[in-house]
């Protein structure tokens, strides 16, 4: 269920309380929720995931991304969350894992990572960044 994007980042579809325990067992240090509350009736509320994560000793950050797309404050928040996690692995989740991966890609580009490397890492986890590739290229160029 968790797809490894790089050495410290995993993306996942919606998680529940059992997956929080699994994340802890994997050594995850931070859970990032990229799903807006109430997006579907079957999703576990972010507050429940946050409580379970904190109880397990993991940090929790909510950066909701709707289907409307990404904003620079969301990219900056993701970049900040990844930096705050330090060396601890991070699990980012949404409905399918795609928005989490795309937001990770934008944050990495803003940090100056090579766009081809970003695309390859996302593809290795089964995600396609082509819908945001022009923005990734632009952010990487601005960072460089």
């Amino acid at each position: 269920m968790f797809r490894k994007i790089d050495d410290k980042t995993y993306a996942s579809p919606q998680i529940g309380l059992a997956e929080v325990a699994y994340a802890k067992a994997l050594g995850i240090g931070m859970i990032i929720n990229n799903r807006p509350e109430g997006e579907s009736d079957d999703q576990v509320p972010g507050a429940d995931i946050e409580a379970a994560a904190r109880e397990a000793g993991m940090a929790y950050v909510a950066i909701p991304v709707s289907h409307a797309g990404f904003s620079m404050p969301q990219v900056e928040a993701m970049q900040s969350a990844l930096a705050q996690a330090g060396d601890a692995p991070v699990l980012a989740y949404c409905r399918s894992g795609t928005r989490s991966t795309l937001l990770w890609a934008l944050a990495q580009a803003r940090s100056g990572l090579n766009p081809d490397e970003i695309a390859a890492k996302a593809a290795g986890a089964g995600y396609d960044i082509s819908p945001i590739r022009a923005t990734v290229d632009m952010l990487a160029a601005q960072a460089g």
Side-chain angles (χ1 to χ4, degrees), residues 2-144:
F2 299 171
R3 297 183 185 183
K4 191 171 188 174
I5 300 173
D6 65 15
D7 289 340
K8 68 169 269 185
T9 312
Y10 295 82
S12 171
Q14 175 68 51
I15 63 171
L17 301 183
E19 288 79 19
V20 172
Y22 178 65
K24 178 64 176 176
L26 277 180
I28 301 289
M30 176 184 282
I31 294 177
I32 301 173
N33 177 359
N34 296 128
R35 195 159 190 201
E37 287 301 314
E39 189 174 55
S40 72
D41 294 336
D42 64 344
Q43 81 187 73
V44 178
D48 294 354
I49 300 293
E50 179 178 13
R54 295 201 187 280
E55 187 175 308
M58 291 182 283
Y60 173 91
V61 177
I63 309 169
V65 176
S66 73
H67 291 287
F70 302 95
S71 68
M72 193 51 67
Q74 291 166 327
V75 174
E76 291 166 352
M78 185 68 153
Q79 193 177 16
S80 176
L82 293 171
Q84 286 173 15
D87 292 333
V90 171
L91 169 66
Y93 75 91
C94 58
R95 187 187 61 76
S96 68
T98 299
R99 281 175 281 175
S100 294
T101 302
L102 297 181
L103 187 57
W104 166 87
L106 293 167
Q108 294 301 308
R110 191 166 184 273
S111 296
L113 193 64
N114 179 290
D116 291 334
E117 189 176 335
I118 293 169
K121 287 180 178 187
Y127 295 104
D128 176 14
I129 71 159
S130 62
I132 59 158
R133 180 57 193 254
T135 306
V136 165
D137 290 342
M138 179 194 70
L139 288 172
Q142 289 174 350

